[in-house]
Amino acid sequence: MASDWYHQWRRGTTHEESDSQQRGNRLSQSLLSDSVLRNDIETTGSPGVEDNKELVCLRGYPCSFPGAQNPGSILWMQWGMAGLHKGRFWITPDPYHNEDNIQIGREVKISCQVEATPSEELQFSWLKNGRALKSSERMVITHTDPNISPGTTNLDIIDLKFTDFGTYTCVASLRNGGIPEISIDVNISSTTVPPELSVPKGQSQLIVLEGDTVDLQCLVSGKPKPIIMWSRVEESGPTAALAPMMPDGSAQMESYDGILRIYNVTRKMSGAYRCQTSQFNGFNVKPREALIHLVVQFTPTVKPVYTEVRQALGRAFSLTCNLLQAYPAHHLQYEWKLGSRLLTVGQFSDQSHDTSYHVKALNREGYGEYTCDITNEAGSGRCTFLLTDTG
């Protein structure tokens, strides 16, 4: 029987600190205000401490004053911050069978992951419907190595029963306290459906102009709704990039609503984009995926953009405007002008990459500014030639 899972994110409150903790925190803040970073070592002057000794800490490791009577009073240095972030969960229906649904009588695993600084201070606890949950033969709680970040805890429910339905809470905190804990609620109900992914009708191929803003959208259903991962699809051919990057330069981008918004689109962003369900905040099952093809149209790139040509009266001359790149590259038109006077128009053949204007004998009316506009659906690129006398 299927079950519905959803999660809620909340930050708890810290417990009241003892006097010694408060003094330690005040000392930590004083030390951090005078810290100086040197490569991978951070040194800190210690005002108010006997002999004004120097505190030396390797970044990310505990440190205390040399010869301190209470070396247990440590100060954690990770850019001066300790904290919990990126809390996530995922659900694995029956890890030993290739199942997409949660079923009564089968096993189900809930995994909870949190990044912590310092990582070895991370600790987890579990609740069911607000009451502490301890590991048992049918509710098995395990934790990963505390020195490995991010930290992960798992709750394996063996032989799922109706009485197991409820809200399971994973609580992450630091052993020394001082910061709010993170709680993630995962609710089991009877209305769960596996995740599904689709592209809105008519949006599997999007055509935009270079410089526009575009939204790529994938619709995700199911409970819980997972985070969507966006990536580029490798192109085929000998000149294809091995690993095309996303617009922000990363290999993948996350989306909580299924929308990938790209600002100031460039021609290099053309291609296929993959949206894919992730295990984060959803089911740890075979990913669902869909493709969207982005077509970026851009005006013709031409050469020369501007140049000056000198020629004597009565002599022949020729001007050539070269097409370097354009999309779409079919049905390209060209138009030559002298000032505002139209000289000639035409259309590129599929094999041609330039257009030329020829004059057999130059007269005085032939001096001035010549322009050649090459036009496609996106706009036009212009070559400009300033023709002057040799004298």
Side-chain angles (χ1 to χ4, degrees), residues 211-280:
D212 284 353
T213 296
V214 62
D215 285 346
L216 282 62
Q217 182 178 19
C218 284
L219 303 176
V220 59
S221 61
K223 293 184 179 180
K225 289 185 179 180
I227 296 173
I228 301 300
M229 307 300 295
W230 285 92
S231 60
R232 300 280 299 272
V233 178
E234 294 183 11
E235 299 178 1
S236 58
T239 61
L242 294 178
M245 293 290 102
M246 294 294 289
D248 68 347
S250 65
Q252 285 187 323
M253 293 176 66
E254 292 183 357
S255 170
Y256 289 83
D257 58 6
I259 295 177
L260 173 64
R261 176 164 294 170
I262 305 176
Y263 297 93
N264 193 24
V265 176
T266 69
R267 63 195 69 180
K268 292 182 179 180
M269 297 176 188
S270 290
Y273 289 75
R274 177 189 291 113
C275 60
Q276 188 176 65
T277 58
S278 75
Q279 70 180 40
F280 298 126

Side-chain angles (χ1 to χ4, degrees), residues 49-285:
V49 179
E50 185 180 2
D51 297 329
N52 193 28
K53 295 177 181 178
E54 185 177 60
L55 177 67
V56 180
C57 316
L58 289 176
R59 187 183 304 141
Y61 290 85
C63 52
S64 61
F65 299 106
Q69 294 182 355
N70 184 15
S73 300
I74 60 176
L75 174 65
W76 288 95
M77 296 276 187
Q78 183 85 14
W79 296 101
M81 295 296 291
L84 302 169
H85 57 283
K86 264 196 175 178
R88 291 173 166 175
F89 79 93
W90 59 90
I91 308 148
T92 306
D94 198 343
Y96 304 104
H97 296 81
N98 188 20
E99 296 285 351
D100 284 352
N101 294 300
I102 297 169
Q103 300 183 30
I104 295 296
R106 293 283 186 88
E107 181 178 343
V108 62
K109 177 189 287 187
I110 309 172
S111 300
C112 174
Q113 186 179 84
V114 174
E115 292 186 6
T117 304
S119 60
E120 53 267 43
E121 288 294 297
L122 176 63
Q123 61 183 6
F124 289 105
S125 59
W126 285 90
L127 308 174
K128 180 187 177 184
N129 296 330
R131 294 187 176 184
L133 189 64
K134 294 184 178 181
S135 188
S136 63
E137 289 185 359
R138 223 173 53 78
M139 298 277 184
V140 182
I141 298 173
T142 57
H143 309 294
T144 59
D145 186 335
N147 293 313
I148 298 177
S149 183
T152 304
T153 181
N154 300 301
L155 170 62
D156 281 279
I157 304 175
I158 312 299
D159 186 18
L160 184 69
K161 303 179 184 299
F162 283 104
T163 54
D164 294 326
F165 286 0
T167 300
Y168 292 84
T169 305
C170 161
V171 182
S173 61
L174 294 183
R175 288 188 179 88
N176 288 334
I179 63 168
E181 65 187 18
I182 286 179
S183 297
I184 300 174
D185 292 348
V186 183
N187 186 56
I188 308 176
S189 73
S190 58
T191 57
T192 280
V193 291
E196 294 296 337
L197 203 63
S198 63
V199 177
K201 185 177 180 180
Q203 295 190 33
S204 58
Q205 177 170 293
L206 300 176
I207 301 176
V208 297
L209 294 179
E210 191 168 40
D212 284 353
T213 296
V214 62
D215 285 346
L216 282 62
Q217 182 178 19
C218 284
L219 303 176
V220 59
S221 61
K223 293 184 179 180
K225 289 185 179 180
I227 296 173
I228 301 300
M229 307 300 295
W230 285 92
S231 60
R232 300 280 299 272
V233 178
E234 294 183 11
E235 299 178 1
S236 58
T239 61
L242 294 178
M245 293 290 102
M246 294 294 289
D248 68 347
S250 65
Q252 285 187 323
M253 293 176 66
E254 292 183 357
S255 170
Y256 289 83
D257 58 6
I259 295 177
L260 173 64
R261 176 164 294 170
I262 305 176
Y263 297 93
N264 193 24
V265 176
T266 69
R267 63 195 69 180
K268 292 182 179 180
M269 297 176 188
S270 290
Y273 289 75
R274 177 189 291 113
C275 60
Q276 188 176 65
T277 58
S278 75
Q279 70 180 40
F280 298 126
N281 298 358
F283 280 83
N284 183 22
V285 296

